[in-house]
Amino acid sequence: MAVKYCTGKRSPASNTRRMAHTTNTVSSRSSDAFPYQQNLAVQQLLQSNSAHSSNAVGTVSRRSSLPPNLHSAPADPRAVVDTADTRASGYLASASIFSFLDSMMLGMSMSTASSTSYQAYLDRFDLPEQQGARFRNRFSGTTYATSNEAQQQELESLSTRYENLQAYLDGGIRYLSNNTSALTIGGCRDRCSANPGWGAWTCSERSARAIALCPPFWSATAGEQATMIVHELAHMRYQIRNHNAGNARQRGSNPECYASYIADLFGFSSYSNQCPRV
Ligand SMILES: [Zn+2]
């Protein structure tokens, strides 16, 4: 059965079941900088991608519906979405690279102590769960003799997952500006105004390929907008329905953990607080 899911802060009325943790995050509005030296090359890549976004290099479907000056959208919503979409693609590429590097470092017994991305993995996904005397890669189900080995394999799996999310995004996404009218995405039907905390929503179906953008999307920072897109992509690509963060296994199936990892990697706050740090 299809289930619709959101990128949301706590909704005042109906949405508590979907959110295990609802403490409000303090958004850092001046947070579009990239404070980490290790990400300099990636930063340059992203900036060069963003520079081209007005020429519609991104993956925003022509069947998108982005009317100007409606639903709190600006005069040129398409340009905002182009930028956010391109930025999300760059972030996913970076996340794939950094998780792969961390996997390699663990494999070579190099210190990960100074790795921002390794810390983000620990903070947002937690350590692999122990099963008896062994340690489980939650993304593949395979178990290993040591936690170090399981982490190494998990980071490699995570790298592949980010790559898959980027490939899914690059296949084209229909963006639909939404507020009070009910929309159908895949087998789901909803509207933003019924869930005031939502920044965006989608359907947990791989064939959905559409994201509804709610009024808060338009006033979010560029980083928040991009991570909202990452969050919704994870719902669709991996048919994820939950936002639980109570243990490592749940975090591996929580779309916001994928988004918050990226926010940590680049040093800003994600829009959603559905994957608090461990
Ligand atoms: Zn969600």
Side-chain angles (χ1 to χ4, degrees):
M1 192 185 76
V3 182
K4 58 187 180 305
Y5 285 106
C6 59
T7 304
K9 299 195 183 192
R10 185 186 178 89
S11 156
S14 62
N15 202 36
T16 49
R17 185 176 59 81
R18 294 195 181 122
M19 285 178 264
H21 298 265
T22 53
T23 331
N24 280 332
T25 6
V26 178
S27 291
S28 129
R29 292 278 155 184
S30 58
S31 59
D32 249 345
F34 302 87
Y36 300 109
Q37 194 64 36
Q38 67 169 304
N39 291 337
L40 193 58
V42 177
Q43 177 185 348
Q44 285 163 348
L45 172 75
L46 286 172
Q47 284 172 345
S48 102
N49 278 347
S50 299
H52 292 112
S53 64
S54 57
N55 299 325
V57 172
T59 54
V60 180
S61 164
R62 284 163 197 250
R63 294 190 299 125
S64 294
S65 173
L66 299 165
N69 305 313
L70 257 187
H71 311 150
S72 308
D76 190 358
R78 170 67 196 237
V80 174
V81 173
D82 271 337
T83 301
D85 180 278
T86 304
R87 194 178 272 258
S89 182
Y91 284 154
L92 289 166
S94 312
S96 179
I97 291 166
F98 282 106
S99 48
F100 188 76
L101 288 175
D102 286 328
S103 172
M104 282 180 63
M105 287 169 76
L106 286 174
M108 293 187 290
S109 301
M110 290 167 70
S111 170
T112 48
S114 64
S115 166
T116 302
S117 48
Y118 180 67
Q119 191 57 48
Y121 160 70
L122 294 179
D123 285 346
R124 302 302 183 173
F125 290 99
D126 204 355
L127 288 166
E129 55 183 320
Q130 191 165 356
Q131 285 191 334
R134 295 179 68 82
F135 299 86
R136 183 173 177 273
N137 174 352
R138 77 197 90 170
F139 305 112
S140 70
T142 309
T143 61
Y144 298 89
T146 66
S147 175
N148 192 75
E149 218 178 334
Q151 289 177 52
Q152 185 192 333
Q153 295 300 323
E154 280 205 335
L155 283 159
E156 195 176 325
S157 298
L158 198 55
S159 172
T160 303
R161 287 202 162 203
Y162 280 117
E163 199 180 330
N164 290 341
L165 290 175
Q166 189 192 12
Y168 184 87
L169 172 66
D170 290 349
I173 297 294
R174 203 156 48 98
Y175 291 93
L176 307 166
S177 178
N178 179 233
N179 190 12
T180 55
S181 308
L183 270 185
T184 298
I185 294 179
C188 305
R189 190 161 173 83
D190 210 334
R191 57 197 163 93
C192 294
S193 59
N195 307 279
W198 286 9
W201 65 270
T202 189
C203 200
S204 60
E205 294 174 349
R206 196 164 165 181
S207 60
R209 289 209 160 277
I211 296 174
L213 303 174
C214 300
F217 176 87
W218 304 109
S219 54
T221 64
E224 288 172 339
Q225 289 171 336
T227 44
M228 278 188 221
I229 292 172
V230 169
H231 178 124
E232 304 307 334
L233 293 173
H235 274 304
M236 291 185 277
R237 174 62 180 78
Y238 290 108
Q239 292 111 59
I240 296 175
R241 300 177 178 193
N242 302 308
H243 300 99
N244 299 323
N247 58 44
R249 190 179 294 202
Q250 290 175 347
R251 285 173 178 269
S253 298
N254 177 342
E256 183 49 37
C257 295
Y258 294 80
S260 290
Y261 171 90
I262 285 176
D264 287 357
L265 191 56
F266 287 93
F268 59 80
S269 297
S270 183
Y271 175 77
S272 166
N273 51 31
Q274 291 163 302
C275 180
R277 287 194 173 90
V278 172

